[in-house]
Amino acid sequence: MRKVVQFAAVATTALVAVAAVAQTTRQPGGVPLIERAKLFGNPTRTGGQLSPDGKWLGFIAPRDGVLNVWVAPVDRPNDARPLTAEKVRPIRAYFWAPDSKQILFVNDKGGDENFLLYGVDLASGAQKALTPFEKTTVQVVGMSDSIKDRILIGVNNRDPRWHDVQELSLATGRLTPVFRNDGYAGFLSDDQLRLRIAVKPRPDSGVDYYRVIDNKVEATPFTRVDYEDASSTAPLGFTTDGRTLYWGDARGRDTRALLAQDMATGKFTTIGANDRADVGGGLTNPRTGVVEAYSVNFHRNEYVPVGNAVKRDLAFLKAQNKGEFQIGSRTDADDKWLVTFDPITAPSSTWLYDRRAGKLTELYTPRSELVGAPLVAMEAVDIPTRDGLSMVSYLTRPKGASAATPMVLLVHGGPWARDTYGFNGYHQWLANRGYAVLSVNFRSSTGFGKKFVQAGDRQWGRKMHDDLIDAVDWAVKRGVTTREKVAIMGGSYGGYATLAGLTMTPDAFACGVDIVGPSNLFTLLKTIPPYWEAGKQQMYRRMGDPGTPEGQALLKERSPLTYADQIRKPLLIGQGANDPRVNVAESDQIVAAMKARDIPVTYVVFPDEGHGFARPANNIAFNAVAENFLAKCLGGRAEPIGGALAASTAQVRAGAVEGGATAAGGTKGN
């Protein structure tokens, strides 16, 4: 199956916050405070990837305080050298060129998500901008296991809505036009880097799939997927010989299955399915592209072997009892794998697995400073909704807690995403400060079948919010917390949920922390990035159409801004000034509405950030104020703010932070 690199995850939403006061440094029972910097500062090493030829280990690590790409011989991982020299913006996504001669990475400017592609020669260290355009974001369309000197990329420098396909020569950097795109959401290529499938959204929110022959799209789609299946059904990739196409497919069933389609006959064969959860990613043979295992994540992620090719390997890794494991890169020879183990109550570690020798060698621990820290377990729980659904959720409680404690309801972004089991820095941080932490996969969360996703259609601020209230009720009934000591916190959709909680259910929470959350759904949809054009109709179907009177009325009714006068509890808002997804105006609007009514609010803006906070100094600063705010609201403990704000670019544009501290031209509050 062809490798396609996704960069959307680079813009990960940060769940952080802002405000006042510092408290004790030990919990009852003598649990020491974990320093913020150990949880949210730069990792020692992260993002390890093996080169295809198996000779090198690439990873991301600090260089002069900024995350850069490093390389080391795979048999001498401590003999590492930096390959890039970014001075301001951390590198968070990179990949190996197929010939193992270059590292390719993407980066944007100040969080604007205009991700450009760069290449760095492994031998000389020379760096080249491979997509030297303005206001452009790159996509990787196709890579090959047999063609090593070029890849296919998509760039939207001609029309910001659509990505034209270009062939990129890795040796020279030359771009050769392959396909002019005037309306296709994406493409799928085979191992020969031939475009085989074009994806086109329909006005009714369905998706059509067309064959591409000699870079020309056929007039009639070979497969049509209706809206009900569109979010769960898509082709995944071809085997190396191009004869088999793998699909993630929910047609005729609720959860997504893994299917193989014979391209000569059109016949489908089911490779894997699960009644409780969608089938996730597959492990494919690097040479043949044949799926050898797939994953299913209900409460926890599990690998399911297909045949015997990797069955023994998966059993061996599971038997190590080192915690949850994830398989990363595999060499072309498939003799070495990179494996990460996550024990939850200790920091994760990354290992080299030599398949032939049946041996594991530890390479690094991303957050070695957390070795010996008082980390706590995470529990997977099922929470019922008032209308009969069940929500897979994750609960973390303070170390040694046997009675009710204050709680933070930590709401994930998306909302078409999900929370998962594993080490979570925010869970550990908040539990260490004395709070139970609950993350809920409310309706619209992905991974649990299409019906669960669609149960959230047009339910922003209604049934989706009811689910969060039901989760709080569940926690109160089970003695996890008390009703008057619950805060709500989240980023992106989680920020919206925070605003909805404090406006639409103003007495349900003691306080709220909104990070890059939309306050006005009408203006949110009017300002989405132009390259989201392909998914726009589906968003309208799920949220409300701003182009119709009915849709406008619905969006206004579900917008927290409409009810800003109802806010009675402390609210903290954080925003990146360059956010292309949730424009800074979303936070500006509700802050202005609150100030006009003399409702207190603290508002912090980072001028060099976008949809979340990528720079550790900014993330630490926001979390410093957040934990002091929560200590004042819920009565937990906090590490003093100290110099965290001064070390960041934070601008306090409303309210005040302890001591009146501001940074980088910020005002003292108003």
Side-chain angles (χ1 to χ4, degrees):
M1 196 187 304
R2 299 301 90 231
K3 306 182 186 80
V4 178
V5 181
Q6 301 291 337
F7 297 127
V10 170
T12 304
T13 299
L15 302 175
V16 289
V18 109
V21 60
Q23 308 238 331
T24 61
T25 58
R26 301 185 76 85
Q27 288 177 349
V31 179
L33 199 78
I34 303 174
E35 296 174 29
R36 285 185 301 269
K38 292 183 177 182
L39 289 162
F40 303 114
N42 279 324
T44 306
R45 294 186 179 187
T46 191
Q49 295 184 38
L50 296 172
S51 61
D53 64 9
K55 296 179 180 179
W56 299 93
L57 171 69
F59 57 89
I60 293 174
R63 180 182 188 181
D64 298 326
V66 179
L67 291 179
N68 275 277
V69 180
W70 295 59
V71 292
V74 74
D75 57 347
R76 302 191 309 278
N78 291 326
D79 293 343
R81 58 185 170 92
L83 201 61
T84 63
E86 294 295 296
K87 302 298 184 184
V88 178
R89 194 75 180 161
I91 295 175
R92 291 166 290 156
Y94 78 98
F95 59 102
W96 282 97
D99 61 5
S100 301
K101 294 180 180 179
Q102 289 188 67
I103 287 282
L104 306 177
F105 72 93
V106 296
N107 217 349
D108 67 350
K109 296 177 181 178
D112 62 6
E113 296 189 20
N114 288 319
F115 289 105
L116 300 183
L117 181 65
Y118 303 86
V120 188
D121 184 79
L122 192 64
S124 69
Q127 181 171 311
K128 182 183 296 184
L130 300 173
T131 55
F133 312 115
E134 293 295 323
K135 297 182 179 179
T136 298
T137 184
V138 68
Q139 295 177 346
V140 175
V141 175
M143 295 174 64
S144 170
D145 289 320
S146 57
I147 297 175
K148 301 289 190 178
D149 62 344
R150 59 191 187 273
I151 64 175
L152 296 179
I153 65 172
V155 289
N156 61 336
N157 58 319
R158 180 186 60 84
D159 184 333
R161 298 172 300 170
W162 311 108
H163 285 74
D164 295 332
V165 181
Q166 307 263 359
E167 183 182 86
L168 170 64
S169 168
L170 295 173
T172 67
R174 180 182 177 184
L175 289 172
T176 303
V178 173
F179 187 90
R180 178 186 170 108
N181 180 11
D182 289 308
Y184 295 94
F187 302 88
L188 200 64
S189 65
D190 61 17
D191 192 66
Q192 297 304 305
L193 296 181
R194 296 173 300 199
L195 294 183
R196 295 281 299 274
I197 294 174
V199 185
K200 192 168 190 175
R202 300 201 309 255
D204 66 357
S205 304
V207 179
D208 288 341
Y209 294 90
Y210 295 80
R211 287 187 177 88
V212 182
I213 300 176
D214 295 329
N215 293 332
K216 294 182 180 179
V217 179
E218 291 186 337
T220 304
F222 75 93
T223 294
R224 309 196 80 199
V225 179
D226 292 335
Y227 166 75
E228 289 72 21
D229 296 314
S231 63
S232 303
T233 300
L236 303 176
F238 291 94
T239 51
T240 301
D241 59 17
R243 297 177 181 176
T244 301
L245 174 64
Y246 290 107
W247 287 80
D249 205 312
R251 287 173 288 186
R253 54 181 297 120
D254 181 31
T255 54
R256 182 175 60 240
L258 177 62
L259 306 183
Q261 183 181 16
D262 186 306
M263 294 305 289
T265 66
K267 180 182 177 181
F268 285 91
T269 302
T270 300
I271 304 299
N274 185 281
D275 290 336
R276 297 198 302 172
D278 294 338
V279 170
L283 298 179
T284 59
N285 185 283
R287 289 178 172 171
T288 67
V290 172
V291 170
E292 298 175 331
Y294 60 88
S295 63
V296 175
N297 192 337
F298 185 64
H299 286 140
R300 302 185 182 188
N301 187 67
E302 298 179 14
Y303 288 105
V304 182
V306 178
N308 295 319
V310 299
K311 187 175 183 179
R312 179 180 296 179
D313 302 286
L314 295 176
F316 171 79
L317 295 173
K318 187 174 183 178
Q320 301 307 301
N321 293 319
K322 297 180 184 295
E324 307 294 302
F325 68 90
Q326 292 282 342
I327 298 167
S329 52
R330 297 162 68 173
T331 60
D332 280 350
D334 207 23
D335 57 341
K336 299 181 181 70
W337 293 2
L338 213 61
V339 182
T340 296
F341 291 95
D342 181 3
I344 314 298
T345 55
S348 66
S349 55
T350 297
W351 299 65
L352 180 69
Y353 172 46
D354 186 324
R355 295 184 71 201
R356 293 172 182 168
K359 179 183 177 183
L360 280 167
T361 302
E362 187 171 6
L363 297 176
Y364 62 85
T365 297
R367 293 198 176 275
S368 56
E369 59 272 26
L370 290 179
V371 172
L375 304 180
V376 289
M378 173 182 279
E379 179 185 2
V381 296
D382 296 302
I383 298 177
T385 70
R386 65 190 68 180
D387 58 352
L389 300 180
S390 181
M391 302 181 291
V392 172
S393 305
Y394 299 97
L395 175 65
T396 301
R397 303 185 71 175
K399 197 173 188 69
S402 58
T405 64
M407 187 178 85
V408 177
L409 182 68
L410 192 62
V411 186
H412 71 67
W416 307 289
R418 65 162 293 178
D419 285 309
T420 57
Y421 182 86
F423 175 85
N424 185 307
Y426 285 88
H427 273 240
Q428 295 291 349
W429 169 54
L430 293 168
N432 182 258
R433 271 42 175 175
Y435 312 119
V437 192
L438 183 62
S439 292
V440 181
N441 284 309
F442 48 88
R443 72 189 71 206
S444 278
S445 300
T446 55
F448 307 101
K450 63 190 181 187
K451 293 179 182 177
F452 193 78
V453 173
Q454 290 158 23
D457 285 0
R458 301 196 174 204
Q459 294 302 319
W460 285 48
R462 291 298 179 267
K463 290 184 179 180
M464 291 165 69
H465 190 65
D466 289 345
D467 290 348
L468 300 177
I469 300 299
D470 291 347
V472 172
D473 291 344
W474 175 91
V476 171
K477 289 177 182 176
R478 279 154 184 76
V480 173
T481 189
T482 56
R483 193 168 301 279
E484 70 279 3
K485 286 290 186 178
V486 179
I488 183 169
M489 176 177 178
S492 196
Y493 177 84
Y496 165 85
T498 297
L499 295 177
L502 268 62
T503 57
M504 300 177 190
T505 54
D507 296 317
F509 299 97
C511 55
V513 178
D514 153 37
I515 310 303
V516 298
S519 66
N520 182 335
L521 298 186
F522 180 80
T523 55
L524 170 73
L525 292 177
K526 296 294 284 187
T527 58
I528 58 175
Y531 49 86
W532 286 22
E533 181 71 21
K536 188 168 67 175
Q537 291 302 322
Q538 190 174 93
M539 290 186 70
Y540 292 174
R541 181 87 171 254
R542 289 172 165 176
M543 297 174 62
D545 188 342
T548 67
E550 177 188 14
Q552 292 172 15
L554 177 65
L555 294 170
K556 181 177 180 180
E557 180 197 0
R558 306 299 172 79
S559 293
L561 182 64
T562 304
Y563 314 100
D565 62 333
Q566 298 299 307
I567 297 175
R568 296 195 284 270
K569 301 298 176 62
L571 173 61
L572 314 174
I573 298 177
Q575 179 71 48
N578 306 317
D579 192 340
R581 304 186 186 201
V582 178
N583 192 280
V584 66
E586 291 300 315
S587 293
D588 287 347
Q589 290 178 74
I590 198 160
V591 168
M594 294 176 68
K595 290 169 68 176
R597 296 170 174 82
D598 292 325
I599 301 173
V601 60
T602 302
Y603 181 32
V604 176
V605 177
F606 291 87
D608 56 347
E609 297 285 9
H611 198 61
F613 312 128
R615 298 186 62 225
N618 292 339
N619 204 14
I620 290 171
F622 215 27
N623 289 350
V625 191
E627 65 176 292
N628 282 272
F629 163 73
L630 290 171
K632 185 176 182 180
C633 171
L634 297 180
R637 61 186 188 159
E639 181 183 353
I641 291 176
L645 275 178
S648 75
T649 62
Q651 298 176 353
V652 182
R653 296 189 180 177
V657 173
E658 180 191 9
T662 59
T667 60
K668 190 173 179 177
N670 46 16

